[in-house]
Amino acid sequence: MLIGKKPDIPSSEITPKSLWLDRRRFMTGAAVLGAGLSLPRQWAQAAPLQAAKSPLSTTGEELTPLKDVTTYNNYYEFGTDKSDPAANAGGMKTRPWTVEISGEVAKPVTLGIEDILRLAPVEERIYRHRCVEAWSMVIPWNGFPLSALIKHIEPTSKANFVEFTTIADRASMPGLAYPYLDWPYREGLRMDEAMNPLTILAVGLYGETLENQNGAPLRLVVPWKYGFKGAKSIVRIRFVSDQPATAWNTANPSEYGFYSNVNPNVDHPRWTQAKERRIGDFLRRPTLMFNGYGEQVANLYKGMDLKTYF
Ligand code: MTE
């Protein structure tokens, strides 16, 4: 995306990748054995998720290997290099975790992550994941429709948009010391986009609880939009009547629009969006309108000039 100076992260804060990979193997082994070991908090969090396969999953595409999904990330609060989030996010505490629900709702409420997980069964949703930087992946997310939470909350008739705010914890997030974005990270959706059955809140991927670098414990996934819409580690969901400000749109409105629909016909001012590099591939492939989900979502934008509302 933009970016200026790389943060100077002390080597003491960086977990070597080999250690991280070993840790992951250990976690899987512990889960299989059902061992009641007393693991350090961040190790103990990754757990197998029961998830029925959703018919809304994308089929016929090769999944991006877990290693790439968890080590090639954007999470600027932990640094701007793709490897920074995996190296630096281990110290973020994701339990206890609450999400404040406020704004245009009958009853504002703060829900614990456990309450949120009880709202709807977790499903497996295989989605294309297209970053605005013109790379892509195919990820088997574990999550549930955002609409399940919205129905539970009962927004008022004035709620036209939903704003998502993510955690900004200076103690565990070295990137917050740099003004890459106007922290905390914020994103937004129009109400009908939020209610679309494809829009999910993810709590895992590849059948395991989300790693911190992927947005633990709760992140947004909107598969027809560029990846930056997918706010990670959400702490507040606010229902509002006017279009909310978003982190990237505020930082650079001419490059990152509010809608951010994947669109091969509208280039980013500094690069083409007509093609993308699927992580692991050598050659680039054509980008699909709405990331291939046009049948389900094109009607949301009927009559809108997508060059204006990019
Ligand atoms: N959420 C927060 N809080 N901070 C971020 O920097 N980056 C966004 C999005 N969500 C980001 C974020 C961008 S640019 C992308 S492409 C996706 O997360 C990347 O998700 P992934 O690392 O799980 O692939």
Side-chain angles (χ1 to χ4, degrees), residues 162-229:
V162 193
E163 177 197 67
F164 302 86
T165 305
T166 82
I167 191 168
D169 173 34
R170 280 208 164 237
S172 62
M173 298 177 135
L176 293 182
Y178 302 85
Y180 302 134
L181 293 169
D182 180 17
W183 312 113
Y185 195 98
R186 280 154 302 136
E187 256 310 336
L189 292 175
R190 217 171 55 189
M191 200 61 167
D192 56 351
E193 299 176 323
M195 289 298 290
N196 188 277
L198 289 183
T199 305
I200 60 168
L201 285 171
V203 293
L205 56 85
Y206 268 105
E208 283 186 26
T209 306
L210 281 181
E211 296 282 354
N212 288 353
Q213 61 268 32
N214 290 104
L218 187 73
R219 61 94 52 90
L220 184 64
V221 177
V222 194
W224 70 95
K225 293 182 182 279
Y226 292 119
F228 68 90
K229 276 276 148 187

Side-chain angles (χ1 to χ4, degrees), residues 1 73-77 129 131 166 185 214 219 227 230 232:
M1 305 206 39
N73 298 104
N74 278 332
Y75 199 159
Y76 280 15
E77 290 88 331
H129 180 60
C131 181
T166 82
Y185 195 98
N214 290 104
R219 61 94 52 90
K232 293 179 168 181

Side-chain angles (χ1 to χ4, degrees), residues 222-259:
V222 194
W224 70 95
K225 293 182 182 279
Y226 292 119
F228 68 90
K229 276 276 148 187
K232 293 179 168 181
S233 312
I234 294 167
V235 292
R236 190 172 75 166
I237 301 179
R238 204 161 63 98
F239 293 85
V240 291
S241 53
D242 298 329
Q243 184 176 301
T246 67
W248 281 106
N249 185 241
T250 302
N252 197 337
S254 62
E255 299 198 352
Y256 308 107
F258 175 81
Y259 280 92

Side-chain angles (χ1 to χ4, degrees), residues 92-126:
M92 180 173 72
K93 300 268 181 289
T94 58
R95 290 292 187 286
W97 191 273
T98 56
V99 180
E100 178 198 310
I101 314 241
S102 59
E104 293 294 345
V105 289
K107 279 191 209 137
V109 66
T110 297
L111 295 176
I113 185 71
E114 290 78 12
D115 305 325
I116 292 173
L117 275 163
R118 274 192 284 271
L119 292 175
V122 171
E123 303 166 11
E124 182 192 79
R125 293 281 183 100
I126 298 171

Side-chain angles (χ1 to χ4, degrees), residues 52-59 123-127 198 296:
K53 288 184 190 307
S54 165
L56 295 175
S57 273
T58 298
T59 53
E123 303 166 11
E124 182 192 79
R125 293 281 183 100
I126 298 171
Y127 283 158
L198 289 183
Q296 293 101 312

